[in-house]
Amino acid sequence: MANAEKTIVIAGAGSIGCYVGGCLALAGRKVVFLARPRIAEALLGGGLRVTDLDGRDRSIKPVSVTAEPAAALANADVVLVTVKNGATEEMAALIAAHASSDVVVVSLQNGVGNADRLRAGLGSRPVLAGMVPFNVVQSAEGDLPLHMHRASDGKVMIEEGAAGLAGLLDVEGLAVETHADIKAVQWGKLLINLNNALVALSGLPLASELADRRWRLILAGQIDEALAAMKASYIAPARIGGLRPGLLPKLLRLPDWLFRLVARRMLAIDPQARSSMWDDLQRGRPTEIGELQGTVLSLAEKAGTPAPLLKRVIALVRQAEREKRGSPGLTPEAVAG
């Protein structure tokens, strides 16, 4: 896959999409952003600034951006799907209608089922699953240039199956590698993503929330419920930061002082980092609670394992969605019930 000749379309230029696309464009890749009108106007009007917790601060202007799917997808060689889970089928239909039959499609979305949902709508086109481990914080609406800040670390993992793809995508500020068992990686990431809802409900930055044992106890309880459902369903999640998933609840339950000592890697997070679910609540948008806690709850119900804490967290997030007042700023005691 000759890097300079390939056109990469970012299908859903939100926080993750803009950060990934920005790094690729800065590395000389041919990138087209397919974005909602608000984001498209911001990119066209002020360009894109990409920063990260490692100290990089880079900008790009002009940016190749469009809100028209036909114009973006017609010449695509690779499509990186970064839309929210609820828009997956719609994006699959757009790719099917406008992209070539040999386009390579990669899902860089949260959850475990999006690649399968894309495959269902894309026939014989190759579709690969992926996993993005880091948080991206977006500048306030109206700020120019549009600023995307990577606030945590980690390598993007993509499914094996397209020769040269990892080399095309692996650029400065965006480490990418392939993995032989991407489903296990996604289930492992899902365990960590159960914390997104706690950040959204608390309104706290991720580092502050994780530093408080009261919140970690709720996360540990959710992970216990998830692991029980996975075990009963014969699902083996991948290691998380080198740690066996079964040890994660024990680590989270440590006293604060000991957790800070043994979990330095987990706490190596920019103070700005929150979660995409918090951002969705702040902007009055539907969250991905159904694809995170909801996926695990469905698994638990099928397996017959209890999941009362997952049910409660889902209910609280749904309530905040309905109220459209942003994060409710709940205490850990209010969430634990």
Side-chain angles (χ1 to χ4, degrees):
M1 190 171 282
N3 294 347
E5 300 171 3
K6 300 297 179 181
T7 297
I8 304 169
V9 172
I10 306 298
S15 298
I16 293 293
C18 281
Y19 178 82
V20 168
C23 289
L24 291 167
L26 285 160
R29 305 298 190 256
K30 190 176 178 182
V31 177
V32 178
F33 293 87
L34 175 57
R36 299 186 304 273
R38 178 182 70 83
I39 297 290
E41 289 171 11
L43 288 170
L44 288 170
L48 177 62
R49 181 183 172 203
V50 175
T51 61
D52 60 42
L53 78 168
D54 301 314
R56 297 181 186 87
D57 189 339
R58 302 174 291 166
S59 296
I60 182 168
K61 187 179 180 180
V63 177
S64 180
V65 59
T66 180
E68 299 297 328
L73 295 167
N75 299 311
D77 296 295
V78 177
V79 178
L80 303 182
V81 179
T82 54
V83 295
K84 295 289 187 181
N85 289 277
T88 300
E89 282 83 4
E90 179 186 359
M91 184 53 67
L94 291 172
I95 296 169
H98 301 297
S100 68
S101 60
D102 58 354
V103 67
V104 177
V105 179
V106 184
S107 170
L108 296 182
Q109 301 161 275
N110 277 330
V112 296
N114 283 297
D116 290 334
R117 292 160 70 189
L118 288 169
R119 289 185 188 105
L122 289 174
S124 61
R125 291 176 176 86
V127 177
L128 304 175
M131 186 280 291
V132 177
F134 49 73
N135 300 74
V136 174
V137 179
Q138 185 177 154
S139 58
E141 191 168 335
D143 287 357
L144 294 177
L146 197 63
H147 180 196
M148 301 296 173
H149 179 74
R150 176 170 61 80
S152 56
D153 215 343
K155 288 185 178 181
V156 173
M157 299 287 182
I158 57 173
E159 187 176 3
E160 294 177 342
L165 181 60
L168 176 69
L169 303 179
D170 184 39
V171 298
E172 184 180 356
L174 181 69
V176 178
E177 64 181 34
T178 58
H179 198 283
D181 189 354
I182 198 68
K183 277 291 188 185
V185 170
Q186 289 178 317
W187 281 108
K189 172 74 184 310
L190 182 56
L191 292 174
I192 296 297
N193 276 349
L194 296 177
N195 197 45
N196 288 8
L198 304 186
V199 173
L201 292 171
S202 69
L204 295 170
L206 177 56
S208 300
E209 181 259 346
L210 274 178
D212 186 334
R213 184 173 182 266
R214 296 173 302 162
W215 286 111
R216 295 199 308 278
L217 290 176
I218 300 173
L219 177 56
Q222 290 185 100
I223 292 174
D224 280 336
E225 293 177 359
L227 288 171
M230 290 180 192
K231 182 178 181 180
S233 305
Y234 304 100
I235 293 170
R239 286 177 175 258
I240 303 158
L243 189 71
R244 284 195 294 110
L247 294 176
L248 188 57
K250 295 181 175 62
L251 175 66
L252 293 168
R253 289 186 169 102
L254 292 175
D256 286 338
W257 68 269
L258 187 54
F259 181 77
R260 286 193 296 269
L261 285 176
V262 301
R264 291 177 184 172
R265 184 174 176 182
M266 187 179 291
L267 292 171
I269 308 166
D270 192 291
Q272 296 182 56
R274 281 188 168 85
S275 70
S276 58
M277 196 176 294
W278 171 84
D279 190 58
D280 286 336
L281 287 184
Q282 294 301 101
R283 297 174 189 267
R285 298 190 301 237
T287 72
E288 293 183 317
I289 191 70
E291 286 72 32
L292 300 180
Q293 271 81 353
T295 292
V296 182
L297 179 59
S298 295
L299 191 72
E301 289 174 344
K302 289 176 185 175
T305 59
L309 190 51
L310 288 165
K311 285 182 182 178
R312 177 161 178 78
V313 171
I314 291 169
L316 290 171
V317 172
R318 292 297 189 206
Q319 181 180 344
E321 286 179 332
R322 291 191 298 270
E323 292 175 350
K324 292 187 181 298
R325 297 176 184 171
S327 168
L330 298 180
T331 64
E333 291 76 18
V335 173

